[in-house]
Amino acid sequence: MAKQTRFNQKMIDEYVSRGFWNSETLADMCNRNAEKYPDQLSFVDSRTRLTWSQLKLLSDRVALGLMELGIKKDEVILVMLPNWVENIVLRIAFLKAGILSVFPALTWRQAEMERTLKSLNAVAAITPNKFRKVDYHGMIESIRSSLPSLRHLFVVGDDVPRGAISYKELVEKPLERKYPTDYLKKTQFGPFEFNFIMATSGTTGAPKFCEHSQAAYKVLGRTVIERAKITSADVIGAIAPLSGGSAIYAFFCPLMVPARAALLDWFDAEEALKLIEKERISVAIVVPAQLIAMLRHPNLKKYDLSSLRVVRAGGAATPPNIAVELEEQVGCTFISGAGSMDA
């Protein structure tokens, strides 16, 4: 069991007794949605559209594949991916396999990655080979000799270098046929276990790490769902990167409602406006700088943003005039969020 240090048993018991926490896990939610709404879309990006049944199947396969490679419960995997659906599949797979994970920002380079991989004794890393001309796989290969615990390098995408493990091949293996249907129920993280590591910088800029549990996530998710009045008819837009504290709501809120989420792989103001129009996004999750860039874009009025009813900004303070400008320019509600994920 991943031992809690932020929450002791007395705190956990109190949160449960007061109704803040319960025993349902995010993996349970994924499986429930797949059973009740198998053909409804869950998460989409510019490359892939996944239904709830596909999300369950792929996350099951990844979880089983990682365990067959010898990755054990509570070992750590680092993932550096854009806002792709693989980002979501992996998060759920880790929950099902009981594997700890950290999802740092794509702006990190060798120094930050080496510190993180070494500090957490990570056993695997999952990246694109290259994305936007950055050689992510090559960066980790260049520091691999200093990382004795690092056993596996996975690559997402068709361009898989020699020696790396193909994520695509991993999800194509029908491993679910080898195991009982309830096998992953025995391996998944419990609701009160620490299951996810958030990277943060603080005053020095050097990576530091915070632990999070699903139960705390769900409290945060319920708050956003209630404030934004999110229902299954909504489309949640992950404009901010999933590696940060703000857009993480675009991971667990869709599981909880359930609702569809549309992911923007890399922020560009006009691409964000296009995504809102194309996917009919009704709840957009951003950081303030992104919102400002979108509102100030010269082509703002070119796009049909009539589906957008709520923008939730977090990660930093938003100037009050920007909230006013959003309502005047787009006609939707602004919700602010704290700069942290503490709950």
mmCIF file with all atom_site columns, all heavy atoms in Angstrom, residues 286-297:
data_model
loop_
_atom_site.group_PDB
_atom_site.id
_atom_site.type_symbol
_atom_site.label_atom_id
_atom_site.label_alt_id
_atom_site.label_comp_id
_atom_site.label_asym_id
_atom_site.label_entity_id
_atom_site.label_seq_id
_atom_site.pdbx_PDB_ins_code
_atom_site.Cartn_x
_atom_site.Cartn_y
_atom_site.Cartn_z
_atom_site.occupancy
_atom_site.B_iso_or_equiv
_atom_site.pdbx_formal_charge
_atom_site.auth_seq_id
_atom_site.auth_comp_id
_atom_site.auth_asym_id
_atom_site.auth_atom_id
_atom_site.pdbx_PDB_model_num
ATOM 1  N N   . VAL A 1 286 ? -8.814  26.509 -18.130 1.00 0.00 ? 286 VAL A N   1
ATOM 2  C CA  . VAL A 1 286 ? -7.667  27.260 -18.654 1.00 0.00 ? 286 VAL A CA  1
ATOM 3  C C   . VAL A 1 286 ? -6.803  27.753 -17.500 1.00 0.00 ? 286 VAL A C   1
ATOM 4  O O   . VAL A 1 286 ? -7.181  27.660 -16.332 1.00 0.00 ? 286 VAL A O   1
ATOM 5  C CB  . VAL A 1 286 ? -8.139  28.469 -19.491 1.00 0.00 ? 286 VAL A CB  1
ATOM 6  C CG1 . VAL A 1 286 ? -9.039  28.044 -20.628 1.00 0.00 ? 286 VAL A CG1 1
ATOM 7  C CG2 . VAL A 1 286 ? -8.867  29.484 -18.593 1.00 0.00 ? 286 VAL A CG2 1
ATOM 8  N N   . VAL A 1 287 ? -5.652  28.308 -17.853 1.00 0.00 ? 287 VAL A N   1
ATOM 9  C CA  . VAL A 1 287 ? -4.900  29.159 -16.933 1.00 0.00 ? 287 VAL A CA  1
ATOM 10 C C   . VAL A 1 287 ? -5.110  30.599 -17.402 1.00 0.00 ? 287 VAL A C   1
ATOM 11 O O   . VAL A 1 287 ? -5.434  30.838 -18.574 1.00 0.00 ? 287 VAL A O   1
ATOM 12 C CB  . VAL A 1 287 ? -3.400  28.784 -16.881 1.00 0.00 ? 287 VAL A CB  1
ATOM 13 C CG1 . VAL A 1 287 ? -3.224  27.373 -16.329 1.00 0.00 ? 287 VAL A CG1 1
ATOM 14 C CG2 . VAL A 1 287 ? -2.750  28.909 -18.250 1.00 0.00 ? 287 VAL A CG2 1
ATOM 15 N N   . PRO A 1 288 ? -4.958  31.584 -16.513 1.00 0.00 ? 288 PRO A N   1
ATOM 16 C CA  . PRO A 1 288 ? -5.291  32.966 -16.873 1.00 0.00 ? 288 PRO A CA  1
ATOM 17 C C   . PRO A 1 288 ? -4.594  33.490 -18.127 1.00 0.00 ? 288 PRO A C   1
ATOM 18 O O   . PRO A 1 288 ? -5.216  34.192 -18.942 1.00 0.00 ? 288 PRO A O   1
ATOM 19 C CB  . PRO A 1 288 ? -4.884  33.752 -15.630 1.00 0.00 ? 288 PRO A CB  1
ATOM 20 C CG  . PRO A 1 288 ? -5.061  32.779 -14.507 1.00 0.00 ? 288 PRO A CG  1
ATOM 21 C CD  . PRO A 1 288 ? -4.641  31.450 -15.071 1.00 0.00 ? 288 PRO A CD  1
ATOM 22 N N   . ALA A 1 289 ? -3.316  33.155 -18.293 1.00 0.00 ? 289 ALA A N   1
ATOM 23 C CA  . ALA A 1 289 ? -2.596  33.660 -19.466 1.00 0.00 ? 289 ALA A CA  1
ATOM 24 C C   . ALA A 1 289 ? -3.232  33.168 -20.759 1.00 0.00 ? 289 ALA A C   1
ATOM 25 O O   . ALA A 1 289 ? -3.269  33.895 -21.765 1.00 0.00 ? 289 ALA A O   1
ATOM 26 C CB  . ALA A 1 289 ? -1.127  33.241 -19.402 1.00 0.00 ? 289 ALA A CB  1
ATOM 27 N N   . GLN A 1 290 ? -3.745  31.944 -20.749 1.00 0.00 ? 290 GLN A N   1
ATOM 28 C CA  . GLN A 1 290 ? -4.408  31.420 -21.940 1.00 0.00 ? 290 GLN A CA  1
ATOM 29 C C   . GLN A 1 290 ? -5.707  32.169 -22.211 1.00 0.00 ? 290 GLN A C   1
ATOM 30 O O   . GLN A 1 290 ? -6.011  32.515 -23.356 1.00 0.00 ? 290 GLN A O   1
ATOM 31 C CB  . GLN A 1 290 ? -4.693  29.927 -21.750 1.00 0.00 ? 290 GLN A CB  1
ATOM 32 C CG  . GLN A 1 290 ? -3.452  29.062 -21.691 1.00 0.00 ? 290 GLN A CG  1
ATOM 33 C CD  . GLN A 1 290 ? -3.777  27.616 -21.378 1.00 0.00 ? 290 GLN A CD  1
ATOM 34 O OE1 . GLN A 1 290 ? -4.731  27.319 -20.651 1.00 0.00 ? 290 GLN A OE1 1
ATOM 35 N NE2 . GLN A 1 290 ? -2.978  26.697 -21.910 1.00 0.00 ? 290 GLN A NE2 1
ATOM 36 N N   . LEU A 1 291 ? -6.460  32.405 -21.164 1.00 0.00 ? 291 LEU A N   1
ATOM 37 C CA  . LEU A 1 291 ? -7.726  33.122 -21.323 1.00 0.00 ? 291 LEU A CA  1
ATOM 38 C C   . LEU A 1 291 ? -7.487  34.519 -21.891 1.00 0.00 ? 291 LEU A C   1
ATOM 39 O O   . LEU A 1 291 ? -8.203  34.960 -22.801 1.00 0.00 ? 291 LEU A O   1
ATOM 40 C CB  . LEU A 1 291 ? -8.439  33.208 -19.973 1.00 0.00 ? 291 LEU A CB  1
ATOM 41 C CG  . LEU A 1 291 ? -9.750  33.996 -19.945 1.00 0.00 ? 291 LEU A CG  1
ATOM 42 C CD1 . LEU A 1 291 ? -10.751 33.429 -20.938 1.00 0.00 ? 291 LEU A CD1 1
ATOM 43 C CD2 . LEU A 1 291 ? -10.334 34.011 -18.536 1.00 0.00 ? 291 LEU A CD2 1
ATOM 44 N N   . ILE A 1 292 ? -6.486  35.201 -21.374 1.00 0.00 ? 292 ILE A N   1
ATOM 45 C CA  . ILE A 1 292 ? -6.171  36.546 -21.867 1.00 0.00 ? 292 ILE A CA  1
ATOM 46 C C   . ILE A 1 292 ? -5.790  36.496 -23.348 1.00 0.00 ? 292 ILE A C   1
ATOM 47 O O   . ILE A 1 292 ? -6.249  37.321 -24.153 1.00 0.00 ? 292 ILE A O   1
ATOM 48 C CB  . ILE A 1 292 ? -5.043  37.170 -21.026 1.00 0.00 ? 292 ILE A CB  1
ATOM 49 C CG1 . ILE A 1 292 ? -5.541  37.436 -19.597 1.00 0.00 ? 292 ILE A CG1 1
ATOM 50 C CG2 . ILE A 1 292 ? -4.533  38.462 -21.662 1.00 0.00 ? 292 ILE A CG2 1
ATOM 51 C CD1 . ILE A 1 292 ? -4.444  37.798 -18.624 1.00 0.00 ? 292 ILE A CD1 1
ATOM 52 N N   . ALA A 1 293 ? -4.955  35.514 -23.709 1.00 0.00 ? 293 ALA A N   1
ATOM 53 C CA  . ALA A 1 293 ? -4.531  35.387 -25.113 1.00 0.00 ? 293 ALA A CA  1
ATOM 54 C C   . ALA A 1 293 ? -5.715  35.125 -26.034 1.00 0.00 ? 293 ALA A C   1
ATOM 55 O O   . ALA A 1 293 ? -5.774  35.649 -27.160 1.00 0.00 ? 293 ALA A O   1
ATOM 56 C CB  . ALA A 1 293 ? -3.495  34.274 -25.236 1.00 0.00 ? 293 ALA A CB  1
ATOM 57 N N   . MET A 1 294 ? -6.663  34.323 -25.579 1.00 0.00 ? 294 MET A N   1
ATOM 58 C CA  . MET A 1 294 ? -7.843  34.027 -26.394 1.00 0.00 ? 294 MET A CA  1
ATOM 59 C C   . MET A 1 294 ? -8.736  35.251 -26.548 1.00 0.00 ? 294 MET A C   1
ATOM 60 O O   . MET A 1 294 ? -9.213  35.563 -27.648 1.00 0.00 ? 294 MET A O   1
ATOM 61 C CB  . MET A 1 294 ? -8.612  32.858 -25.767 1.00 0.00 ? 294 MET A CB  1
ATOM 62 C CG  . MET A 1 294 ? -7.854  31.534 -25.820 1.00 0.00 ? 294 MET A CG  1
ATOM 63 S SD  . MET A 1 294 ? -8.449  30.314 -24.613 1.00 0.00 ? 294 MET A SD  1
ATOM 64 C CE  . MET A 1 294 ? -10.109 30.011 -25.208 1.00 0.00 ? 294 MET A CE  1
ATOM 65 N N   . LEU A 1 295 ? -8.947  35.966 -25.442 1.00 0.00 ? 295 LEU A N   1
ATOM 66 C CA  . LEU A 1 295 ? -9.813  37.148 -25.497 1.00 0.00 ? 295 LEU A CA  1
ATOM 67 C C   . LEU A 1 295 ? -9.212  38.269 -26.344 1.00 0.00 ? 295 LEU A C   1
ATOM 68 O O   . LEU A 1 295 ? -9.937  39.050 -26.973 1.00 0.00 ? 295 LEU A O   1
ATOM 69 C CB  . LEU A 1 295 ? -10.082 37.667 -24.083 1.00 0.00 ? 295 LEU A CB  1
ATOM 70 C CG  . LEU A 1 295 ? -11.008 36.816 -23.212 1.00 0.00 ? 295 LEU A CG  1
ATOM 71 C CD1 . LEU A 1 295 ? -11.050 37.357 -21.799 1.00 0.00 ? 295 LEU A CD1 1
ATOM 72 C CD2 . LEU A 1 295 ? -12.414 36.745 -23.805 1.00 0.00 ? 295 LEU A CD2 1
ATOM 73 N N   . ARG A 1 296 ? -7.892  38.336 -26.362 1.00 0.00 ? 296 ARG A N   1
ATOM 74 C CA  . ARG A 1 296 ? -7.216  39.414 -27.104 1.00 0.00 ? 296 ARG A CA  1
ATOM 75 C C   . ARG A 1 296 ? -6.867  39.006 -28.543 1.00 0.00 ? 296 ARG A C   1
ATOM 76 O O   . ARG A 1 296 ? -6.283  39.804 -29.282 1.00 0.00 ? 296 ARG A O   1
ATOM 77 C CB  . ARG A 1 296 ? -5.936  39.813 -26.361 1.00 0.00 ? 296 ARG A CB  1
ATOM 78 C CG  . ARG A 1 296 ? -6.187  40.264 -24.926 1.00 0.00 ? 296 ARG A CG  1
ATOM 79 C CD  . ARG A 1 296 ? -6.901  41.610 -24.841 1.00 0.00 ? 296 ARG A CD  1
ATOM 80 N NE  . ARG A 1 296 ? -7.471  41.886 -23.524 1.00 0.00 ? 296 ARG A NE  1
ATOM 81 C CZ  . ARG A 1 296 ? -6.790  42.266 -22.466 1.00 0.00 ? 296 ARG A CZ  1
ATOM 82 N NH1 . ARG A 1 296 ? -5.488  42.431 -22.547 1.00 0.00 ? 296 ARG A NH1 1
ATOM 83 N NH2 . ARG A 1 296 ? -7.406  42.496 -21.329 1.00 0.00 ? 296 ARG A NH2 1
ATOM 84 N N   . HIS A 1 297 ? -7.223  37.776 -28.921 1.00 0.00 ? 297 HIS A N   1
ATOM 85 C CA  . HIS A 1 297 ? -6.861  37.329 -30.270 1.00 0.00 ? 297 HIS A CA  1
ATOM 86 C C   . HIS A 1 297 ? -7.685  38.097 -31.310 1.00 0.00 ? 297 HIS A C   1
ATOM 87 O O   . HIS A 1 297 ? -8.899  38.276 -31.150 1.00 0.00 ? 297 HIS A O   1
ATOM 88 C CB  . HIS A 1 297 ? -7.096  35.826 -30.432 1.00 0.00 ? 297 HIS A CB  1
ATOM 89 C CG  . HIS A 1 297 ? -6.398  35.256 -31.626 1.00 0.00 ? 297 HIS A CG  1
ATOM 90 N ND1 . HIS A 1 297 ? -6.900  35.353 -32.900 1.00 0.00 ? 297 HIS A ND1 1
ATOM 91 C CD2 . HIS A 1 297 ? -5.213  34.593 -31.731 1.00 0.00 ? 297 HIS A CD2 1
ATOM 92 C CE1 . HIS A 1 297 ? -6.070  34.774 -33.750 1.00 0.00 ? 297 HIS A CE1 1
ATOM 93 N NE2 . HIS A 1 297 ? -5.031  34.313 -33.070 1.00 0.00 ? 297 HIS A NE2 1
#
